[in-house]
Amino acid sequence: MGDLIYLYGLVPTKEAQDRSLPDYKGFDGRREIYSLSIGNITAVVCKLDSTEYSEQSIEDRINNDMEWLQEKAFHHHETVLNLSKMFTIIPLKFCTLYKSEDSLEQAVLSNTAKMEQTFSLLADNEEWNVKIYCNDQLLKQQVSETNAAIEEKRAEISRLSKGKQFFEKKKLETLIEAELEEEKNRVSEKVHLHLSEIALEGNVKKTWGKDVTGRKDNMAWNGVYLVPKSKVEPFLEQIQQYEKELKETGWHFEVTGPWPAYHFSSFS
């Protein structure tokens, strides 16, 4: 059997001709990565032994060998990240494999128009991730003291008899929790909309639980933004301003980037 082709990403051929690929080892740690020119698009790839890296063997490793998975995922991430510093790149997902150079070439040729549009979108832009965290106890205290609906409910309870107050206070606590979540969404959406105005595009991702983040505070928002390089500085300055304004009420912003534009490009 022939070698499999592991695909890291796609870059414009013009850019690939202007500068050479670095001398990186491929996925197997032995053979080098290399470029495969397919018209106006160049694939950055490496070869893998089809017996050692069969679909079944890779699936078994992913499911049963965490050390291998972490090592290979890190290799893929670092390779694509370094390539993104050199080229306009459409990054591919971990373990994107083709049976041969010919099958990869056919896939690229059938998607050429889409890929060229994506290169135009990504050129001179960077992907940045913004996670917003919230200390619920701090924010809850502020909401409890300043929210109009809560104040109205407290006033209503104060006019009731002692017996009725007991049950209504339980409803009050439920109301406070609801208003807390509403405030978290309101602030997060306001920040997201503002950052999206600075960025070329902004998308919302799934938030992570504490078991993933390892933090004591909750993740309230997870956004990813495609930012023109000329606007990265004001983008970051705006986040710093939000951090300064909202810190006392329990908000914290975590910004990372620039990353390969996984969220604003795709290749089927």
Side-chain angles (χ1 to χ4, degrees):
M1 294 179 70
D3 289 323
L4 297 173
I5 304 301
Y6 186 102
L7 178 60
Y8 293 96
L10 303 166
V11 304
T13 295
K14 185 178 184 305
E15 292 185 20
Q17 291 172 339
D18 290 342
R19 59 185 73 90
S20 300
L21 285 177
D23 295 328
Y24 289 156
K25 292 295 182 183
F27 195 81
D28 63 4
R30 299 190 296 271
R31 290 189 272 190
E32 305 284 332
I33 67 169
Y34 67 97
S35 59
L36 179 63
S37 179
I38 308 169
N40 293 331
I41 299 172
T42 291
V44 181
V45 301
C46 72
K47 290 184 178 180
L48 294 178
D49 182 88
S50 58
T51 302
E52 183 179 357
Y53 290 94
S54 67
E55 183 178 345
Q56 185 60 51
S57 66
I58 290 177
E59 184 178 348
D60 289 343
R61 279 290 187 87
I62 289 175
N63 292 331
N64 302 304
D65 191 340
M66 183 58 65
E67 184 177 348
W68 180 92
L69 176 59
Q70 290 177 339
E71 175 192 339
K72 296 304 183 182
F74 180 79
H75 161 81
H76 179 90
H77 170 75
E78 286 295 297
T79 303
V80 174
L81 179 60
N82 289 329
L83 290 171
S84 73
K85 297 174 182 178
M86 300 175 61
F87 307 102
T88 303
I89 186 169
I90 296 173
L92 270 294
K93 294 186 297 183
F94 176 65
C95 278
T96 298
L97 292 167
Y98 287 84
K99 292 182 178 179
S100 65
E101 289 185 355
D102 287 341
S103 63
L104 171 58
E105 182 174 345
Q106 290 302 313
V108 170
L109 290 174
S110 65
N111 286 279
T112 295
K114 178 184 177 183
M115 297 303 98
E116 291 180 343
Q117 289 176 353
T118 303
F119 287 138
S120 296
L121 172 67
L122 301 183
D124 297 317
N125 299 308
E126 297 178 345
E127 180 172 307
W128 288 80
N129 178 243
V130 181
K131 294 180 175 64
I132 306 177
Y133 294 91
C134 182
N135 183 320
D136 283 7
Q137 292 306 311
L138 277 178
L139 185 61
K140 185 176 180 179
Q141 181 178 344
Q142 185 215 29
V143 169
S144 180
E145 294 172 354
T146 61
N147 183 276
I150 293 171
E151 286 301 307
E152 182 179 341
K153 185 65 176 177
R154 281 202 181 97
E156 176 189 324
I157 292 173
S158 68
R159 295 190 293 267
L160 298 174
S161 65
K162 295 293 183 180
K164 290 183 178 180
Q165 282 186 6
F166 176 80
F167 295 102
E168 291 302 315
K169 283 180 179 178
K170 289 185 177 294
K171 293 181 182 179
L172 174 62
E173 185 59 31
T174 301
L175 175 62
I176 292 173
E177 291 293 339
E179 292 297 325
L180 169 64
E181 292 303 314
E182 184 66 25
E183 179 68 3
K184 287 165 66 176
N185 289 333
R186 185 190 68 79
V187 171
S188 297
E189 287 175 2
K190 177 184 175 182
V191 171
H192 173 70
L193 289 173
H194 194 179
L195 294 179
S196 296
E197 290 174 357
I198 301 173
L200 192 65
E201 290 188 25
N203 294 335
V204 182
K205 298 172 59 183
K206 184 179 179 180
T207 56
W208 300 349
K210 293 179 181 179
D211 57 328
V212 177
T213 66
R215 297 175 60 99
K216 294 181 180 179
D217 45 1
N218 291 306
M219 186 185 294
W221 197 264
N222 190 5
V224 62
Y225 306 87
L226 188 65
V227 185
K229 292 181 180 179
S230 61
K231 293 185 176 181
V232 167
E233 187 173 342
F235 179 83
L236 298 177
E237 287 175 349
Q238 180 58 69
I239 296 169
Q240 290 175 349
Q241 184 62 33
Y242 277 126
E243 177 87 44
K244 183 178 178 180
E245 292 174 358
L246 299 171
K247 189 174 182 178
E248 290 187 2
T249 51
W251 294 91
H252 174 68
F253 294 78
E254 181 181 275
V255 187
T256 57
W259 300 113
Y262 283 103
H263 295 92
F264 299 96
S265 61
S266 64
F267 174 61
S268 300

